[in-house]
Amino acid sequence: SAVISQKPSRDICQRGTSLTIQCQVDSQVTMMFWYRQQPGQSLTLIATANQGSEATYESGFVIDKFPISRPNLTFSTLTVSNMSPEDSSIYLCSVGPRSGVDTQYFGPGTRLTVL
Amino acid sequence: LAKTTQPISMDSYEGQEVNITCSHNNIATNDYITWYQQFPSQGPRFIIQGYKTKVTNEVASLFIPADRKSSTLSLPRVSLSDTAVYYCLVSPSTTGGGNKLTFGTGTQLKVEL
């Protein structure tokens, strides 16, 4: 299993500002994923963070709004840019196994409130 | 990615067995079935995974019929602490460090005294 930490655990931000969320894993992993969970909803994948290449974004999510960095095999950041109240959500990162049957491990999430 | 269908919510009482069924009619040959549990303000947590027949661990059992078009998560003797959202997902074995997962609505299980 993998141990994942996220910073910050929560934040309250003003409209128009940006927040960078950090995800740290205790072991090297190939792929990291960023999800959004809006209040009372299920999880939606934002993008896949690949080490050494640009992130792959899902439909409805763009790099200008959610830039992602992946500088090494244990760390990634997600920035929520030019925030609006609609961005208020929980943002979670996850990692998968190196290979074999897919069992992903999730971080505790970052609860973002935009005023 | 195979789509899953689960009941939106279920209620139970402490000490009872709870069975949550998930439908995944278009599951592919190389797909596995995985269940996650999510408590409020936490990330989803892996519960159990299987390919066919029955899998049991210290937390739950997973029953998968021969056609694999559905699966049932069984929680024996639930307690208040089992109140959570349970997600059923199907995804293939990975060769590249994980697959992007598609979460359905999940089942909100509420356990009462």
Side-chain angles (χ1 to χ4, degrees):
Chain A
S1 64
V3 178
I4 304 169
S5 60
Q6 287 186 230
K7 290 182 181 179
S9 59
R10 58 176 61 220
D11 207 341
I12 300 173
C13 301
Q14 295 297 319
R15 181 195 299 261
T17 63
S18 298
L19 176 71
T20 295
I21 302 168
Q22 300 177 7
C23 179
Q24 179 76 53
V25 189
D26 67 342
S27 59
Q28 293 185 341
V29 293
T30 305
M31 297 172 73
M32 298 176 75
F33 305 89
W34 286 98
Y35 292 83
R36 180 175 73 181
Q37 187 170 30
Q38 296 179 303
Q41 302 297 312
S42 183
L43 286 79
T44 300
L45 180 66
I46 297 172
T48 302
N50 310 303
Q51 198 274 332
S53 63
E54 284 196 359
T56 304
Y57 290 83
E58 297 301 304
S59 175
F61 298 96
V62 295
I63 187 171
D64 290 345
K65 176 67 176 177
F66 298 100
I68 287 171
S69 77
R70 182 79 196 277
N72 57 53
L73 291 175
T74 63
F75 187 78
S76 177
T77 67
L78 169 75
T79 299
V80 186
S81 304
N82 188 25
M83 288 183 286
S84 66
E86 292 71 35
D87 294 319
S88 297
S89 291
I90 298 173
Y91 293 86
L92 302 107
C93 67
S94 77
V95 303
R98 291 179 182 272
S99 64
V101 182
D102 194 9
T103 305
Q104 291 197 14
Y105 304 96
F106 286 81
T110 295
R111 181 180 293 272
L112 171 62
T113 301
V114 183
L115 303 177
Chain B
L1 295 173
K3 180 180 177 180
T4 60
T5 304
Q6 308 173 228
I8 296 294
S9 64
M10 295 182 69
D11 294 328
S12 184
Y13 294 95
E14 277 203 319
Q16 290 190 332
E17 178 184 79
V18 171
N19 296 307
I20 306 174
T21 297
C22 178
S23 173
H24 28 79
N25 290 317
N26 59 339
I27 188 169
T29 302
N30 60 341
D31 281 340
Y32 284 76
I33 301 154
T34 309
W35 286 80
Y36 291 85
Q37 175 190 56
Q38 186 179 28
F39 297 112
S41 302
Q42 295 185 25
R45 181 176 74 105
F46 170 85
I47 300 177
I48 197 167
Q49 183 177 70
Y51 184 81
K52 62 180 179 180
T53 62
K54 177 184 175 182
V55 179
T56 298
N57 62 22
E58 65 278 6
V59 176
S61 294
L62 178 60
F63 299 91
I64 305 169
D67 66 5
R68 303 200 328 122
K69 293 184 182 299
S70 66
S71 60
T72 299
L73 174 72
S74 181
L75 304 173
R77 297 181 298 282
V78 294
S79 65
L80 293 175
S81 62
D82 292 315
T83 294
V85 178
Y86 293 82
Y87 294 98
C88 161
L89 290 87
V90 294
S91 62
S93 176
T94 180
T95 58
N99 299 302
K100 58 182 185 181
L101 300 180
T102 300
F103 282 81
T105 57
T107 298
Q108 171 67 64
L109 173 64
K110 181 179 179 182
V111 181
E112 299 177 289
L113 289 173

